[in-house]
Amino acid sequence: MIPTIEASPEETYDIELEQTLLQANAKLARENRAQLDHYGITAIDFMGAIGSGKTTLIARMAGKLKDRLNLAVFNGDATTVDDVNLIAIQGVPTVQLATINGCHLDANLVGKAFLKIDLKKVDLIFIENIGNLICPAEFPLGSRSRVVVVSVTEGPYMVKKHPHMFLGADIVVINKIDLADAMGVKVESLVHDVHTLKPDIKVIPTSCKTGVGLDEVAAALLAGKELHADA
Amino acid sequence: MIPTIEASPEETYDIELEQTLLQANAKLARENRAQLDHYGITAIDFMGAIGSGKTTLIARMAGKLKDRLNLAVFNGDATTVDDVNLIAIQGVPTVQLATINGCHLDANLVGKAFLKIDLKKVDLIFIENIGNLICPAEFPLGSRSRVVVVSVTEGPYMVKKHPHMFLGADIVVINKIDLADAMGVKVESLVHDVHTLKPDIKVIPTSCKTGVGLDEVAAALLAGKELHADA
Ligand SMILES: Nc1nc2c(ncn2[C@@H]2O[C@H](COP(=O)(O)OP(=O)(O)OP(=O)(O)O)[C@@H](O)[C@H]2O)c(=O)[nH]1
Ligand SMILES: Nc1nc2c(ncn2[C@@H]2O[C@H](COP(=O)(O)OP(=O)(O)OP(=O)(O)O)[C@@H](O)[C@H]2O)c(=O)[nH]1
Ligand SMILES: [Mg+2]
Ligand SMILES: [Mg+2]
Ligand SMILES: [Zn+2]
Ligand SMILES: [Zn+2]
């Protein structure tokens, strides 16, 4: 038997404050959502581990969708502007959300970003969360759907290790499948793990390098948000 | 100009509590360190993004070092026991540190793990932190050196994006170099980025798959802790 120590947060910090914080965030997320609904905007946020391919995927989706609807992108990033620059060169309005030492986005930061774009001119907002598979799950932002991007290079246990993240998602993208053989990771097993956890979730294997699966992601984003770009 | 929103933590939670928490952790870390010194034990903690190879590297180091000194391993993992099981099969004493929803280890959890092993019989403890490149930097554990494990599959910006993590480390392992060509990532550029940030840090490119660099990591761990296994 391997001994196990379980964290009991009340020992080192105030659990009531933690609850207050989560409740405050949830309230702001509802306010964000109401504001988005008022303007007929859909927000979709992208979560996933560091380097899983969130920025690259958003850039590819922006390329496919920006001429069909009015897109804006918010990039969460602890300190640098690398991600937001990759999106901005596409000519899409962007806002940088610098969390400094924060390991997740929250609804407060996202609400402030609304003030930096012209909401009357936007149909769809993509939000890139901080690379982390733990706490973003606890902080809703007001988005209509949540996408989790995992990479086969993170190994075969990613789904089993982070159930909360997948339970809270609507679409799962399994990225970098061009490297699946080199990693010895079976894409079908990861798909199976997600469906075991949440049977009705949409799971799409992709490679942002070869382009495989990207049209399917674009279609899922449009369908999931019930936005009809051609209407 | 891309608009930027910067997080100001006092808006959503109590900055004083945050300071108190970090101070409480720092105090516990000093107590851990005093206890380790008392027993002549060196602790080394391994930080790095999700899936960067922390568990695999620790398992490989355990294989190389376990017959030369008395090793124990603490595995931080949000919920599952996959990592600790990979180490336990080597016959090394292990303790599972389950953070539940916590995104980093803290000195309190590590101190509790000391009670689960026989400190009189241990020379060296490896601690695997939670996969995260942000907050572990703020929570010292009482270890003598800190190792950061990054993977080339996380892309070329990892070092620039997470300066705090590297500034607080003594050894940087750049892992999965077997995939560098497939990723189009230049290992020398990552090495250069680390040295630009912190000139005197030890940087070792590795592949846990092919074995490249692993003897050098083992030597650096032994040297860094001034432990003479053969003495
Ligand atoms: N081989 C391969 N590389 C990819 C793929 N998708 C993204 N990449 C590369 O993976 C690296 C990380 O991609 P990003 O899009 O920056 O990942 P991210 O999730 O935004 O990273 P953070 O914001 O730092 O957490 C970059 O070098 C990308 O070019 C893919 O499908 N295959
Ligand atoms: N190709 C290749 N794969 C590697 C290498 N090192 C580790 N891996 C694989 O990468 C995946 C993740 O490795 P882990 O050791 O579990 O990574 P970790 O950092 O402990 O992951 P978490 O604890 O989940 O954050 C596994 O499938 C490993 O077999 C390497 O150098 N090359
Ligand atoms: Mg990114
Ligand atoms: Mg691990
Ligand atoms: Zn967080
Ligand atoms: Zn944390």
Side-chain angles (χ1 to χ4, degrees), chain A residues 101-105 130 132 134-136 138-139, chain B residues 101 103 132 135:
Chain A
N101 287 326
C103 47
H104 55 269
L105 290 184
I130 299 296
N132 186 334
I134 300 177
C135 32
E138 295 191 80
F139 289 84
Chain B
N101 287 325
C103 47
N132 187 334
C135 32

Side-chain angles (χ1 to χ4, degrees), chain B residues 26-69:
Chain B
K27 179 165 178 287
L28 289 172
R30 285 191 298 273
E31 289 171 17
N32 286 350
R33 179 62 175 275
Q35 200 178 350
L36 291 167
D37 287 348
H38 172 78
Y39 286 100
I41 302 171
T42 298
I44 300 179
D45 74 299
F46 292 71
M47 309 181 288
I50 288 176
S52 61
K54 299 176 293 298
T55 305
T56 311
L57 183 70
I58 290 172
R60 300 294 297 259
M61 292 301 112
K64 285 183 189 296
L65 299 174
K66 70 181 179 189
D67 296 334
R68 300 171 63 192
L69 25 84

Side-chain angles (χ1 to χ4, degrees), chain A residues 5 83 96 153 176 182 209, chain B residues 5 96 153 161 176 182 209:
Chain A
I5 312 282
D83 288 1
Q96 155 89 345
T153 58
K176 306 196 194 176
K209 191 173 181 183
Chain B
I5 310 284
Q96 154 90 346
T153 59
K161 277 188 169 188
K176 305 197 195 176
K209 192 173 181 182

Side-chain angles (χ1 to χ4, degrees), chain A residues 123-143:
Chain A
D123 306 314
L124 178 63
I125 299 174
F126 289 151
I127 305 171
E128 177 178 355
N129 217 311
I130 299 296
N132 186 334
L133 280 183
I134 300 177
C135 32
E138 295 191 80
F139 289 84
L141 305 178
S143 56

Side-chain angles (χ1 to χ4, degrees), chain B:
Chain B
M1 258 305 287
I2 298 168
T4 301
I5 310 284
E6 283 206 1
S8 36
E10 63 277 16
E11 285 179 21
T12 47
Y13 64 94
D14 189 331
I15 188 78
E16 282 178 25
L17 187 105
E18 170 88 0
Q19 284 307 323
T20 310
L21 172 62
L22 291 177
Q23 279 165 16
N25 182 78
K27 179 165 178 287
L28 289 172
R30 285 191 298 273
E31 289 171 17
N32 286 350
R33 179 62 175 275
Q35 200 178 350
L36 291 167
D37 287 348
H38 172 78
Y39 286 100
I41 302 171
T42 298
I44 300 179
D45 74 299
F46 292 71
M47 309 181 288
I50 288 176
S52 61
K54 299 176 293 298
T55 305
T56 311
L57 183 70
I58 290 172
R60 300 294 297 259
M61 292 301 112
K64 285 183 189 296
L65 299 174
K66 70 181 179 189
D67 296 334
R68 300 171 63 192
L69 25 84
N70 295 308
L71 190 66
V73 178
F74 300 165
N75 286 92
D77 212 331
T79 46
T80 62
V81 294
D82 299 304
D83 288 1
V84 78
N85 286 341
L86 280 173
I87 308 294
I89 51 173
Q90 304 227 18
V92 171
T94 51
V95 181
Q96 154 90 346
L97 299 176
T99 60
I100 314 300
N101 287 325
C103 47
H104 55 266
L105 290 184
D106 61 33
N108 177 48
L109 280 176
V110 169
K112 286 186 179 180
F114 291 166
L115 305 172
K116 300 284 180 184
I117 58 171
D118 186 347
L119 293 175
K120 286 196 286 304
K121 295 192 182 149
V122 171
D123 306 314
L124 179 62
I125 300 175
F126 290 151
I127 305 172
E128 178 179 354
N129 217 311
I130 299 296
N132 187 334
L133 279 183
I134 301 178
C135 32
E138 295 191 78
F139 289 84
L141 305 177
S143 55
R144 191 171 300 173
S145 29
R146 308 198 87 173
V147 180
V148 173
V149 184
V150 288
S151 162
V152 298
T153 59
E154 294 152 18
Y157 305 121
M158 286 307 104
V159 180
K160 288 181 185 157
K161 277 188 169 188
H162 301 283
H164 291 298
M165 211 65 195
F166 294 90
L167 288 170
D170 306 287
I171 300 172
V172 174
V173 173
I174 299 176
N175 192 33
K176 305 197 195 176
I177 59 169
D178 54 293
L179 296 175
D181 286 348
M183 282 298 299
V185 167
K186 295 215 186 334
V187 175
E188 319 83 73
S189 301
L190 287 170
V191 175
H192 180 259
D193 287 347
V194 180
H195 281 141
T196 304
L197 209 57
K198 194 175 178 183
D200 59 345
I201 203 168
K202 184 98 184 156
V203 186
I204 308 171
T206 63
S207 166
C208 289
K209 192 173 181 182
T210 68
V212 171
L214 297 183
D215 283 332
E216 205 185 328
V217 177
L221 295 175
L222 290 175
K225 67 192 181 47
E226 301 155 358
L227 235 188
H228 301 285
D230 301 324

